[in-house]
Amino acid sequence: MMKVHFLGSAASEGVPNPFCRCGVCEKARAAKGKDIRTRSAVIVDDTMQIDLAPEFSWQMMRDQADATRITDLLFTHTHPDHFNVGDLFSRMEGYGHRIEHPLRVYGNDLAIGGCRDVLPGYSKERFAFTRLIPFVTECAGSAKVTPLLANHAEWEMCLLYFIEKDGKTLLYGHDSGWFPESTWEWLAGRRIDLTILECTYGYTNNPRSNNHMSIETVLETQQRLIKDGMHDASSQLVLSHLSHNMGLMHDELVELFEPYRIEIAYDGLIKFI
């Protein structure tokens, strides 16, 4: 069994965006609950985190999660809503106490360099760094992690993650628009228990959007996952990294995607596969 805990479920501005008075942001301020979204990140089995949001400290307190249990940290890319690397300084010696293992950090060149820049004089007892190569599998504790190529920032090699652990598989699929063909080719025939996609754009009339996914791209991606044998009747698909610019509240998103058996993430959601 694999546990996936959604610490945050918003795109870069959060919901509500503090500088926005659009309908979704104004309704979210009034409705609260699942319509309040912090920036996206997940923890797998309480020990492996993917991305570090600006609200990391609040997310951990809100959900009564224990950051000292985290052994592995995977970065998808270095955009600031995913790469709140300054918070890692709190794990340095003299700041975080009674820590008994190093945090193993994985990412592209920019992510690893960015971490080392803000952690001068770090000790090997607190941090260990691995620069990832796309499609080359690494062992992270008892899990196997394979970085795949995303379709996102033009000048950065952004990553998706295929995670295998205890006979279960997870595809963490954002930030990305329609996947690069090399990623589709690597995934073909590999069964996935849970796929997490983003849906930053609303309707665009483009089923293969770049940079981020539209509603049409999500549905097109689901069809490709089924056609190429990655998803079967028991596979789950969850959407996160949701933007106020979609123009839809949580319940409206649930209603929209329910016929496709696609679930909408919210802050604090926990999934078991």
Side-chain angles (χ1 to χ4, degrees):
M1 180 179 294
M2 189 185 296
K3 173 186 176 184
V4 182
H5 177 180
F6 290 79
L7 292 175
S9 58
S12 62
E13 307 99 315
V15 182
N17 174 352
F19 295 104
C20 184
R21 291 184 176 176
C22 76
V24 168
C25 288
E26 293 289 64
K27 289 177 184 177
R29 291 183 180 103
K32 298 182 173 58
K34 293 177 182 178
D35 286 299
I36 301 294
R37 300 183 183 277
T38 58
R39 270 63 73 92
S40 62
V42 301
I43 299 181
V44 179
D45 289 338
D46 300 318
T47 60
M48 176 185 290
Q49 180 151 340
I50 305 176
D51 286 338
L52 201 66
E55 300 91 347
F56 171 69
S57 179
W58 161 246
Q59 291 169 340
M60 301 302 283
M61 288 188 291
R62 181 199 64 208
D63 293 351
Q64 300 182 43
D66 184 356
T68 66
R69 295 187 61 189
I70 299 170
T71 56
D72 299 273
L73 173 60
L74 282 57
F75 284 115
T76 58
H77 62 302
T78 62
H79 287 173
D81 53 322
H82 299 261
F83 194 63
N84 176 28
V85 66
D87 270 7
L88 292 181
F89 199 90
S90 298
R91 205 181 188 280
M92 292 276 279
E93 290 173 331
Y95 293 86
H97 305 287
R98 299 175 64 186
I99 296 174
E100 299 176 352
H101 63 269
L103 179 66
R104 298 185 292 259
V105 182
Y106 307 81
N108 64 22
D109 297 59
L110 290 176
I112 298 305
C115 288
R116 292 167 65 96
D117 285 345
V118 301
L119 301 170
Y122 74 89
S123 71
K124 294 182 179 180
E125 286 71 35
R126 293 300 173 98
F127 294 99
F129 298 100
T130 299
R131 182 177 62 87
L132 296 174
I133 299 172
F135 309 112
V136 176
T137 301
E138 296 279 349
C139 289
S142 59
K144 292 182 178 179
V145 175
T146 305
L148 310 177
L149 287 175
N151 168 13
H152 190 43
E154 183 176 5
W155 300 112
E156 180 176 357
M157 184 183 70
C158 303
L159 302 174
L160 314 176
Y161 287 106
F162 185 83
I163 299 170
E164 305 168 81
K165 185 179 180 183
D166 300 331
K168 299 295 183 179
T169 54
L170 165 68
L171 173 62
Y172 194 79
H174 68 261
D175 285 10
S176 181
W178 179 256
F179 297 161
E181 196 58 33
S182 56
T183 291
W184 281 119
E185 291 172 0
W186 190 93
L187 287 170
R190 288 180 164 88
R191 186 185 174 281
I192 304 170
D193 291 296
L194 172 62
T195 295
I196 301 171
L197 298 178
E198 63 144 274
C199 195
T200 307
Y201 301 149
Y203 287 108
T204 64
N205 294 315
N206 182 3
R208 297 195 175 186
S209 58
N210 289 315
N211 194 44
H212 289 292
M213 287 196 177
S214 64
I215 292 170
E216 295 94 338
T217 306
V218 166
L219 298 179
E220 183 84 355
T221 299
Q222 182 187 44
Q223 290 305 306
R224 179 77 179 260
L225 289 168
I226 294 169
K227 180 177 73 72
D228 285 2
M230 287 85 85
H231 270 212
D232 58 26
S234 64
S235 299
Q236 301 179 65
L237 200 162
V238 179
L239 300 185
S240 188
H241 203 272
L242 303 161
S243 172
H244 64 123
N245 288 323
M246 298 177 70
L248 297 166
M249 304 294 286
H250 179 83
D251 288 346
E252 293 171 324
L253 288 165
V254 170
E255 182 178 1
L256 170 64
F257 284 104
E258 188 174 21
Y260 304 98
R261 295 182 59 248
I262 296 175
E263 188 173 352
I264 305 302
Y266 55 86
D267 288 22
L269 171 67
I270 294 176
K271 297 284 297 179
F272 291 96
I273 57 174

